[in-house]
Amino acid sequence: MAKEREKKLFVGILGNYASELKLLLTTLLLLCAVATFLQFIPSRFTISASDLRFCISRVQSSPPPPSLSPPLTTTSSSSVSHLSTVEQDKILENGIIKRAFNPYGSAAYNFITMGAYRGGLNTFAIIGLASKPLHLYSKPTYECQWLSSSPPHTPITTVGYKILPDWGYGRVYTVVIVNCTFSTPVNAGNTGGKLVLRASTSGGGDTNFNITDTIDVLNESPNSLDLSVFTSPPKYDYFYCGSSLYGNLNPQRVREWIAYHVKFFGPKSHFVIHDAGGVHEQVLEVLKPWMELGYVTLQNIRDQERFDGYYHNQFMVVNDCLHRYKFMAKWMFFFDVDEYIYVPPKSTIKSVLDSLSEYSQFTIEQMPMSSKICLSSDYGKTYR
Ligand SMILES: *[C@@H]1O[C@H](CO)[C@@H](O)[C@H](O)[C@H]1NC(C)=O
Ligand SMILES: *[C@@H]1O[C@H](CO)[C@@H](O)[C@H](O)[C@H]1NC(C)=O
């Protein structure tokens, strides 16, 4: 599967590259066509270079042209509020012109939260995305604070340890898990409080530009904390966390997959399916009966598409599922809907896992399936 993924990724990059190239070529072609066309129109219709510049500058809505004389350095108190944050160039006392740089928008956010979960009395995991270049070229740091809703309100602070689980495959964003472990239990009295993440960029190589965002990641209202989940036996034996589903999924194949695995894992199992656009109407129809029976939880994660990561942010999604549900199950499974779990005929999933009870983790050997086991009578009847 990993190999296939790499291949897919490679193809994906080629594909994107090709489409960008196409756009570029189309644009060039169009410009050339305009240029060619211009030669044939009567001279009184010719557009001068200055006209073109005018039209281009309107399209770009360019900033005011540079001027040799310095602009105003004072900001009037009556100026509109959004203008008051704009820095102006200044002439310093020593005659040096100090240029201003005004940033707009944000190409990649400092941090995007998906979820924050308790792992016990004093420990939390925050699951999210962060700017990948920030993590590659800077040293962003994290600090966690617990603010109690009851006095004393002095925050308890701890270092947030970051874990980057996505194998470096992300592009604009990378998955970040921040582990916040306090030296003492927090909210043990169940009076409520909140977990705050302080995410610092640590600047572009200069510690003078260290921007810190303060983010409320988890709120616990009074009496809402149920500590028994950490100690009581889990509700399910087997828990499936699915990767982001996207694209034109075949509902017949999904029906087959879920029926097979509900039968395989049995009544004490549960499946979390993440819809990144792949659960279209017919796939939903196939999943609905299983949702009604309580086997399937469907999560709509389509909004993560705004943040370009690896494979519809699948590493964030499965880590969120792990931390969100880990106290509900003895074993959690992470595999794809084009993969089927199989145990040799004389064993069962229970007997296999009982033999692994001393371990906290195992991997599953992968075998390619032969297309010869597919029903040939179906061939050509399905359109997906
Ligand atoms: C955070 O890390 C500590 C130390 O490895 C671990 O014991 C704890 O379970 C982690 N917390 C969470 C919520 O995963
Ligand atoms: C940036 O600020 C944070 C929070 O104040 C601090 O912990 C961190 O060390 C700073 N980073 C640098 C590079 O100074």
Side-chain angles (χ1 to χ4, degrees), residues 108-235:
Y109 293 98
N110 182 10
F111 200 83
I112 299 154
T113 59
M114 181 172 183
Y117 308 99
R118 255 188 197 271
L121 267 174
N122 67 332
T123 184
F124 298 84
I126 303 162
I127 289 69
L129 297 171
S131 157
K132 179 161 181 179
L134 186 67
H135 280 270
L136 275 185
Y137 304 114
S138 185
K139 287 192 174 62
T141 56
Y142 299 99
E143 189 188 83
C144 312
Q145 293 185 335
W146 180 264
L147 298 165
S148 176
S149 359
S150 64
H153 296 286
T154 34
I156 315 172
T157 296
T158 189
V159 173
Y161 289 100
K162 70 168 187 187
I163 302 160
L164 306 177
D166 80 1
W167 304 351
Y169 284 155
R171 293 188 296 190
V172 182
Y173 289 104
T174 193
V175 181
V176 179
I177 316 292
V178 181
N179 177 306
C180 307
T181 303
F182 296 91
S183 55
T184 54
V186 293
N187 193 20
N190 219 340
T191 51
K194 68 178 177 184
L195 181 68
V196 174
L197 176 67
R198 288 173 51 80
S200 300
T201 60
S202 290
D206 184 329
T207 51
N208 289 330
F209 306 114
N210 185 1
I211 296 159
T212 298
D213 286 292
T214 301
I215 313 158
D216 286 7
V217 289
L218 182 72
N219 259 296
E220 280 175 356
S221 48
N223 298 315
S224 67
L225 179 60
D226 178 10
L227 290 171
S228 71
V229 295
F230 304 121
T231 49
S232 46
K235 181 172 177 188

Side-chain angles (χ1 to χ4, degrees), residues 29 116 156 217 257 260 266 306 325 333:
L29 206 71
I156 315 172
V217 289
W257 185 92
Y260 174 89
R306 285 174 60 197
Y325 297 112
F333 289 81

